[in-house]
């Protein structure tokens, strides 16, 4: 806890910004714990704000409530600056984008790192080897780009580099990287019902992910915006135990709901990068 | 009777000069053409400048480099190879063939004929390239027409692509074909005229050379045809130039300033509203002094409202965007909301912005495409009240705005760096801050953040509960 460290007159190397989803969403709490176990495992000097953390204001800002956003931002900046924080790591691309890009003009200047980049650094430094735990060899994994990581901040390679160490079969969806399709939750959509339409965005995206994992070219052809006809894989049934990897709490919710909608929970799971690494490293508590 | 239609060089001049009433007419036509365009351009400039101030100065090198890559180099077009190659042909054709327009202008004014002919091999290279490109342009235009009208390319359809936009797209293609036909007619007739008289025509004509057989053998007819081709080409270009401000084809000019003035910051970064910053700081710190803007600005007051209700509430760059849009629909075709059948179409937001500017301010148009498209696009009842017919609600509905996931796919997809997302967010700001008209569920989210510091209704005191189970419960989190 940051307050305890400060009481002892210490400053942590990094502040782990947990985020509201990481703190309150039951599913994403598991990601928070997995990431913390990795931090403990590699012996990083870190702290969390605990109850002093408050929403970055991202959902308010994207929804047009600039006033509420700035109230939240100023409050958080006061807290962070009060502790003399220099470096912030977070597992949420929305918190990452907001603190990194929108806080500086309001007086909050920190080095902000998304956990995908942080994990990549740990791997590059040899501190995480993805050994001693579960093996992903031969399993199919497809990574779903988060808009606020990818297009918003040009981070496409770090999450893929993290997945590389798992030695799994990494498959790219047709709409990936700069062309990645949103999960449907951004821009405060997470907190509202979608407008009337033909389909929910997360279902569209999950269909693409599943078709990619299954090697189902017919499904891919029917998805709008997928212009190339070439199948990703030779057609064949999914071998089971496939993974849709995400790096964002909202993508996690949307993709997991999509998998449920498609009744594929039995053979396809949605995991965050930190969970996969913690598992491969044998850190499942 | 035989007239020599090709003059020998006059003793004192390197070029044959036939100054005649034709040249005076040409001069008048050229002045009228360029003058009318300048008049239209001024009106459009005024429209763009009704937008809010936004400082886009500085970072010149970075901006130039981006302009070189994205505008001149068409970098973002190459995400889709087929249209990129077709477009490249027309684009290069446009640039190279316009070198010949310089020659036409000189010839037209001074009564010279193919004044650049003295360049010899260089002239042959230029005319030869023009001819090949001209033929490729015709092929590309045919392919474009097919893609648009027969090929079923989905992004060329949609509710906003009715009436004027649909016609405009085809008119551009027809004009381009006419210009190329005029060019070939001019060259082929000129070539045959020279051949029949046993004279050399400077330049190389690989395509027109194949067409001479189609032309009559009469020298008089050939001369007339050469003049018809020549006049049709240049008058066509001048007409086309004056058609641009009414057309999506204006992008051939506006793409360059639009890319130059496009944002340099990360796409995820949204602007912080300064006036709100002052307000919030003053709330948190009663001693905070709101910095006064430089007095020299005079009566320049802070914006009277938050966000955008109408086009003049948007930044001038957003309005520049609207004039740079070629309605290609790449934005809409990658929009997750649009793909899944929602009303939102980023292209429509941009087209609406342009239509509204021209409704409220200057319509720089010879004929008003806005009026042309109106019946199909808007409820006639709403037309009655021009002032209340604002961009927000008059053109863009809240339903469209609330469907946006702010994913930046449209921004990424635009070949000329148009940013529909900025306009969407500005209108959302107006809805929320001025009208408190957010969907109810979002109001719940707002009050959760205000009261609990989280968008969900959880108690702040539970924020650290995740740590209770740090080393116990997750054994089965990841299983094979």
């Amino acid at each position: 806890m940051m307050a305890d460290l400060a009481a002892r007159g210490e400053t942590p190397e990094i502040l782990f910004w947990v985020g509201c989803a990481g703190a309150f969403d039951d599913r994403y709490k598991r990601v928070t714990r997995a990431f913390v176990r990795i931090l403990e495992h590699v012996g990083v000097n870190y702290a969390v704000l605990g109850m002093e953390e408050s929403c970055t204001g991202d959902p308010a800002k994207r929804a047009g409530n600039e006033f509420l956003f700035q109230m939240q931002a100023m409050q958080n900046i006061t807290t962070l600056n009060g502790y003399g924080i220099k470096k912030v790591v977070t597992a949420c691309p929305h918190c990452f984008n907001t603190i990194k890009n929108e806080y500086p003009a309001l007086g909050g200047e920190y080095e902000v790192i998304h956990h995908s980049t942080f994990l990549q650094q740990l791997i590059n430094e040899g501190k995480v080897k993805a050994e001693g735990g579960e093996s992903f060899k031969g399993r199919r994994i497809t990574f779903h780009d988060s808009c606020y990581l990818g297009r918003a901040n040009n981070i496409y390679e770090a999450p893929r580099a993290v997945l590389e160490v798992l030695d799994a079969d990494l498959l790219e969806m047709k709409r990936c990287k700069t062309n990645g399709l949103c999960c449907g939750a951004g821009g405060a959509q997470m907190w509202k019902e979608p407008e009337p339409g033909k389909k929910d965005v997360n279902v569209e995206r999950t269909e693409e992910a599943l078709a990619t994992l299954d090697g189902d070219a017919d499904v891919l052809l029917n998805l709008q915006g997928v212009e190339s006809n070439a199948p990703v894989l030779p057609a064949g049934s999914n071998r089971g135990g496939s993974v849709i990897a995400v790096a964002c709490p909202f993508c996690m919710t949307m993709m997991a709901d999509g998998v449920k909608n498609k009744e594929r929970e039995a053979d396809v799971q949605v995991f965050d990068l930190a969970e996969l690494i913690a598992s491969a490293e044998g850190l499942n508590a | 009777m035989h007239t020599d239609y090709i003059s020998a060089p006059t003793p004192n001049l390197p070029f044959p000069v036939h100054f005649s009433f034709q040249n005076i007419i040409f001069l008048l036509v050229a002045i009228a053409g360029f003058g009318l365009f300048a008049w239209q351009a001024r009106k459009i400039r005024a429209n763009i400048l009704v937008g809010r101030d936004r400082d886009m100065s500085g970072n010149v090198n970075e901006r130039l480099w981006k302009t070189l890559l994205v505008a001149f180099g068409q970098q973002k077009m190459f995400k889709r190879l087929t249209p990129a190659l077709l477009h490249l042909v027309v684009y290069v054709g446009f640039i190279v063939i316009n070198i010949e327009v310089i020659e036409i202008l000189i010839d037209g004014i001074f009564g010279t004929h193919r004044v650049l002919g003295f360049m010899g091999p260089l002239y042959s290279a230029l005319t030869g390239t023009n001819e090949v490109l001209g033929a490729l342009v015709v092929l590309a235009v045919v392919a474009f027409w097919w893609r648009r009208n027969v090929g079923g390319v989905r992004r060329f359809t949609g509710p906003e692509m009715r009436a004027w936009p649909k016609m405009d797209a085809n008119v551009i293609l027809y004009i381009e074909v006419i210009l190329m036909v005029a060019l070939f007619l001019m060259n082929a007739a000129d070539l045959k005229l020279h051949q029949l008289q046993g004279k050399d025509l400077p330049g190389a004509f690989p395509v027109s050379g194949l067409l001479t057989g189609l032309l009559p053998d009469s020298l008089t007819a050939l001369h007339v045809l050469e003049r018809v081709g020549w006049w049709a080409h240049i008058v066509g270009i001048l007409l086309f130039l004056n058609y641009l401000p009414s057309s999506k084809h204006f992008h051939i000019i506006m793409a360059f300033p639009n890319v130059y003035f496009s944002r340099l910051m990360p796409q995820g970064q949204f602007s912080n509203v300064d006036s709100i910053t002052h307000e919030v700081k003053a709330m948190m710190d009663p001693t905070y002094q709101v910095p006064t803007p430089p007095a020299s600005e005079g009566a320049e007051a802070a914006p009277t409202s938050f966000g955008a209700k109408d086009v003049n509430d948007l930044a001038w760059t957003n309005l520049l965007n609207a004039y740079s849009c070629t309605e290609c629909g790449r934005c809409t075709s990658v929009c997750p909301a649009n793909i899944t059948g929602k009303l939102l179409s980023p292209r429509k937001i941009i087209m609406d912005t342009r239509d509204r500017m021209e409704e409220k301010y200057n319509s720089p148009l010879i004929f008003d495409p806005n009026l042309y498209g109106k019946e199909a696009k808007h409820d006639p009842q709403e037309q009655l009240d021009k002032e209340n017919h604002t961009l927000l609600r008059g053109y863009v509905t809240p339903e469209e705005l609330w469907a946006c996931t702010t994913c930046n796919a449209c921004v990424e997809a635009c070949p000329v760096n148009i940013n529909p997302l900025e306009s969407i967010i500005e209108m959302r700001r107006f809805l929320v801050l001025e009208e408190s008209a957010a969907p109810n569920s979002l109001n719940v989210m707002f009050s959760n953040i205000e009261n609990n510091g989280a968008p969900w209704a959880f108690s702040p005191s539970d924020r650290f509960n995740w740590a209770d189970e740090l080393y116990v419960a997750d054994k089965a989190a990841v299983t094979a």
Side-chain angles (χ1 to χ4, degrees), chain B residues 82-209:
Chain B
T82 310
L85 291 174
L86 293 172
H87 186 266
L88 186 69
V89 167
V90 179
Y91 167 70
V92 173
F94 166 76
I95 288 181
V96 177
I97 290 169
N98 272 344
I99 299 174
E100 191 157 302
V101 174
I102 298 172
E103 183 185 49
I104 291 186
L105 288 177
I106 300 174
D107 284 350
I109 295 168
F110 299 107
T112 48
H113 187 71
R114 294 191 183 267
V115 69
L116 300 182
F118 72 92
M119 297 193 298
L122 196 61
Y123 188 72
S124 296
L126 179 67
T127 47
T129 311
N130 269 352
E131 289 247 315
V132 174
L133 279 172
L136 289 174
V137 166
V138 172
L139 293 178
V141 165
V142 170
F144 276 147
W145 187 91
W146 191 86
R147 280 170 62 85
R148 187 166 286 274
N149 297 290
V150 189
V153 178
R154 203 175 342 202
R155 63 187 163 89
F156 296 142
T157 61
E160 68 270 26
M161 295 308 285
R162 276 190 251 130
W164 173 257
K166 194 173 161 64
M167 194 181 97
D168 179 32
N170 283 325
V171 166
I172 294 161
L173 298 178
Y174 301 144
I175 295 177
E176 278 167 354
V177 169
I178 290 169
L179 289 178
M180 291 307 109
V181 168
L183 179 75
F184 288 128
L185 178 66
M186 173 181 92
N187 283 348
D190 205 11
L191 188 65
K192 192 163 184 179
L193 201 57
H194 281 71
Q195 281 169 350
L196 289 181
Q197 296 181 105
K199 293 181 176 166
D200 277 338
L201 179 66
F205 303 94
V207 178
S208 298

Side-chain angles (χ1 to χ4, degrees), chain B residues 10 13 22 48 66 80 88 97 105 122-123 165 168 176 211 220 238 330 364 368 398 425 442 446 456 462:
Chain B
T10 44
L13 284 171
Q22 252 198 59
I48 292 170
K66 189 175 59 169
R80 303 190 194 197
L88 186 69
I97 290 169
L105 288 177
L122 196 61
Y123 188 72
D168 179 32
E176 278 167 354
L211 303 174
T220 313
L238 290 173
R330 282 168 173 76
D368 192 338
I425 289 300
L442 288 187
F446 294 152
W456 296 285
D462 291 340

